[in-house]
Amino acid sequence: MALLPVSEALERLLEGAAPSQSESVALIDAAGRVLAEPLMALRTQPPFNASAMDGYAARAADVASVPARLSVIGMAPAGRGFAGTVGEKQAVRIFTGAPLPAGADTIVIQENVRDLGGGSIEVTASTVEGRNIRRLGLDFSKGDVLLEKGRLLDPVALSLAASANHPQVSVVKRPLVAIIATGDELLPPGSDLGPDQIISSNAYGVAAAARSVGARALDLGIAADRKEAIAALVKRAIDAGADVIVTLGGASVGDHDLIHDVLTGEGMTLDFWKVAMRPGKPLMFGRLGDIRCIGLPGNPVASLVCTQLFLKPLLAQLGGRAYRQDMRQARLGAAMPANDLRQDYVRAVVKEEAGTLKATPFGIQDSSMLRVLADANGLIVREPFAPPAATGAACSVLMLR
């Protein structure tokens, strides 16, 4: 099977990916979720003409000329309006958020009032009709569409939904990715390692990346290099309702690379296997019914680079989220040799100098070196067959943080 260009691989992997289910969740638990349908106002806000300030509700005609003497006939605290009517030369003590009493058409702020005692006040600054009043429906009216389908529920959106009287909202169900590591040499962190064993690290980065785009992650652990062991974990992923199955390692071409055989044995239709990229060439993708299966390389850096390029966009799309890679233009901080037929993702440190981004590649780019990836904050993207590039040459950078 020929090497597939990165852009075509991504297009095929994302084809048809869309939210399939929704669920209703309590508003308090909806932070970071995506609306599955438009959210409409269940009430009008404000539900009445309300005072925007602490002061006195009065008639504008009575306070057009100052000083003006008024009789205070009652009080209107928030949540308990004044039941009477404000007449000529009368006022009601009112507080922010309280309903405007009948007969009143302006609010005189308390700073412009002097208490004369005996239930009388003197207004010292004139106030026009409508001043300091929040009109009925100023913010929104019942039936208004307040938030569109697909809106990410951030703090402002959640507060708006609450003010519209929604105790719960319909949101896109978060996609579930099941993660299966493979290899007799792997043990979980904290293990006592034998002379030929290493720590299994990829699953932690993949799970974190999945959660960063709103997906759920199910780590099914490590399968030994036996078909039955791998098949058992694949069965658990299917039973758990996984939308995506991610395997780590075992998707290359060695005698112990059994992922392809197990998944096709379960009914997977292979879409592609091997992408023209470095690191990450042995990436595999197929479909097992409605489940998307991604075989990531076993090398840690290759696994995480493929996660950034392929898995995160897929999970975001399945979860109803927009996703765009953070691509920027920079200048090379060191010369680079000509590239071969694969698209290269070179770990680099990206810094701003004199208003320009400078991307300096690390000297060693071995795909097992996680520390270099941790120290990098960007990947220099070099197209296939790119010629040698001198220090200061323009380059494209995928920012990682």
Side-chain angles (χ1 to χ4, degrees):
M1 186 175 292
L3 296 182
L4 195 65
V6 171
S7 58
E8 185 177 343
L10 180 61
E11 182 179 346
R12 285 161 64 165
L13 184 139
L14 295 179
E15 183 180 359
S20 59
Q21 293 181 302
S22 64
E23 59 185 350
S24 182
V25 300
L27 194 62
I28 194 67
D29 298 320
R33 301 298 295 272
V34 175
L35 276 179
E37 57 190 38
L39 184 136
M40 301 178 69
L42 301 179
R43 61 185 290 273
T44 295
Q45 175 64 18
F48 42 75
N49 295 328
S51 176
M53 302 288 286
D54 291 348
Y56 292 84
R59 304 188 327 154
D62 293 335
V63 293
S65 299
V66 293
R69 187 182 181 111
L70 303 177
S71 298
V72 180
I73 62 171
M75 181 179 293
R80 195 166 64 251
F82 178 72
T85 300
V86 176
E88 184 178 358
K89 301 295 184 180
Q90 292 181 335
V92 168
R93 181 73 167 111
I94 196 167
F95 295 88
T96 303
L100 182 70
D105 58 13
T106 193
I107 303 295
V108 180
I109 62 174
Q110 60 189 19
E111 292 87 344
N112 294 336
V113 171
R114 188 163 64 93
D115 189 355
L116 300 178
S120 294
I121 59 172
E122 181 181 75
V123 177
T124 59
S126 61
T127 307
V128 298
E129 182 179 344
R131 179 68 58 85
N132 302 317
I133 296 172
R134 295 181 179 131
R135 293 296 180 186
L136 167 73
L138 174 66
D139 197 0
F140 53 80
S141 297
K142 183 176 180 180
D144 286 352
V145 175
L146 302 181
L147 299 169
E148 297 291 345
K149 175 182 177 180
R151 171 67 183 261
L152 187 69
L153 291 171
D154 56 20
V156 174
L158 289 169
S159 293
L160 179 57
S163 69
N165 205 27
H166 285 271
Q168 54 192 29
V169 285
S170 177
V171 295
V172 175
K173 190 173 183 180
R174 295 185 298 162
L176 175 64
V177 55
I179 304 168
I180 302 171
T182 65
D184 290 336
E185 75 281 14
L186 300 179
L187 287 176
S191 300
D192 292 325
L193 298 176
D196 303 317
Q197 294 177 309
I198 60 174
I199 294 295
S200 177
S201 61
N202 296 3
Y204 299 92
V206 172
R211 295 184 181 111
S212 74
V213 291
R216 296 170 292 151
L218 173 63
D219 184 0
L220 292 176
I222 303 167
D225 283 324
R226 298 190 306 276
K227 288 185 178 180
E228 60 272 20
I230 298 169
L233 294 189
V234 170
K235 179 67 162 53
R236 284 181 57 191
I238 295 171
D239 291 344
D243 300 286
V244 179
I245 296 175
V246 169
T247 59
L248 306 172
S252 189
V253 289
D255 291 340
H256 296 285
D257 295 328
L258 308 172
I259 295 296
H260 172 264
D261 291 346
V262 170
L263 289 173
T264 52
E266 293 290 332
M268 182 190 77
T269 301
L270 182 66
D271 192 309
F272 61 80
W273 189 3
K274 299 191 181 75
V275 178
M277 62 182 292
R278 181 191 301 106
K281 173 185 171 184
L283 179 72
M284 183 184 73
F285 173 63
R287 297 172 189 260
L288 180 57
D290 292 330
I291 303 173
R292 286 169 164 79
C293 302
I294 300 178
L296 294 177
N299 281 328
V301 175
S303 178
L304 292 176
V305 169
C306 288
T307 294
Q308 177 70 35
L309 295 174
F310 297 99
L311 182 61
K312 288 175 70 174
L314 173 63
L315 293 175
Q317 195 162 306
L318 288 172
R321 293 171 175 240
Y323 187 84
R324 177 177 291 181
Q325 302 286 3
D326 185 5
M327 296 295 304
R328 304 186 194 180
Q329 293 301 303
R331 297 287 176 179
L332 286 176
M336 299 191 73
N339 196 20
D340 61 12
L341 77 165
R342 289 191 276 169
Q343 189 154 303
D344 215 352
Y345 294 87
V346 181
R347 283 158 281 173
V349 173
V350 185
K351 295 181 179 179
E352 184 174 341
E353 293 186 359
T356 301
L357 288 181
K358 184 176 79 171
T360 305
F362 285 90
I364 303 177
Q365 293 285 326
D366 189 281
S367 60
S368 68
M369 298 174 65
L370 268 177
R371 181 175 177 179
V372 175
L373 183 59
D375 289 341
N377 63 337
L379 300 172
I380 298 171
V381 182
R382 305 205 72 213
E383 296 298 324
F385 305 108
T391 301
C395 65
S396 296
V397 179
L398 169 57
M399 300 299 297
L400 300 177
R401 61 178 187 275

